[in-house]
Amino acid sequence: YTDVSSPAAAQQQAEVSATTAGTPDKLYSRLELQMKGIDPEVMKSYATFAKPAAEHLDIEVGKHWALRKAVKDRLTLLKSVHIYKKHRVQYEVRNYYRFMHFHKLTGSTLDTFLEYIERNLPEGIALKVTKVELQELPEHLRK
């Protein structure tokens, strides 16, 4: 039995062990998820999927809500390219939004949670993530 490993894999493992050993984990006070999609039922189902996943990782689940009405974008175009200005066609896109907040996370838990929910993101949903990091007060402001 011989162990064959590439030098790139050994270097990557050394980098991972060096970064995890020397630096403390970042703390986040809040994680905000904004979901945008065209089907509100799919977003509601995805929210019910994300909530137990967060509870399983001991993440404090904050409030979550959806906008009551869809945001409508309308586009009006001429039916004909050259003439007949009176005849127009109107297109409409309805976008629904849903928001979720999670509180008191560590960096490693946040990375794990985000990777899990992003991998299971259904089609037709866009996800915008905002992280609020806790930082130590600078020295010149402590005095």
Side-chain angles (χ1 to χ4, degrees):
Y1 175 76
T2 58
D3 185 20
V4 179
S5 64
S6 67
Q11 180 184 6
Q12 182 182 9
Q13 187 170 355
E15 288 175 4
V16 168
S17 64
T19 57
T20 57
T23 58
D25 208 5
K26 291 183 180 182
L27 297 175
Y28 294 92
S29 64
R30 186 172 62 225
L31 173 70
E32 301 170 358
L33 297 180
Q34 176 186 350
M35 293 174 271
K36 176 183 174 183
I38 58 172
D39 190 3
E41 294 302 319
V42 172
M43 289 195 307
K44 185 176 181 180
S45 171
Y46 183 67
T48 57
F49 158 76
K51 187 178 175 187
E55 290 171 351
H56 183 72
L57 292 171
D58 294 328
I59 297 172
E60 184 180 321
V61 179
K63 59 182 182 175
H64 56 283
W65 71 97
L67 295 180
R68 289 185 179 204
K69 293 185 177 181
V71 177
K72 298 176 184 176
D73 295 326
R74 290 193 178 109
L75 180 64
T76 306
L77 300 172
L78 294 175
K79 267 189 179 180
S80 175
V81 180
H82 303 293
I83 55 175
Y84 305 113
K85 191 165 179 131
K86 290 181 183 179
H87 305 285
R88 297 180 181 258
V89 175
Q90 199 169 44
Y91 297 100
E92 178 178 279
V93 177
R94 296 178 186 176
N95 289 319
Y96 296 90
Y97 290 90
R98 181 171 283 273
F99 303 92
M100 296 184 78
H101 286 185
F102 301 97
H103 302 284
K104 300 176 185 169
L105 297 111
T106 61
S108 58
T109 307
L110 176 78
D111 293 339
T112 305
F113 178 64
L114 280 180
E115 183 179 343
Y116 181 65
I117 65 170
E118 285 174 355
R119 283 182 185 249
N120 293 306
L121 190 66
E123 289 184 13
I125 292 183
L127 185 67
K128 179 181 176 184
V129 178
T130 306
K131 305 173 199 173
V132 181
E133 183 181 355
L134 291 174
Q135 294 183 347
E136 195 170 326
L137 199 60
E139 191 66 38
H140 67 281
L141 293 177
R142 288 189 204 170
K143 296 178 184 179

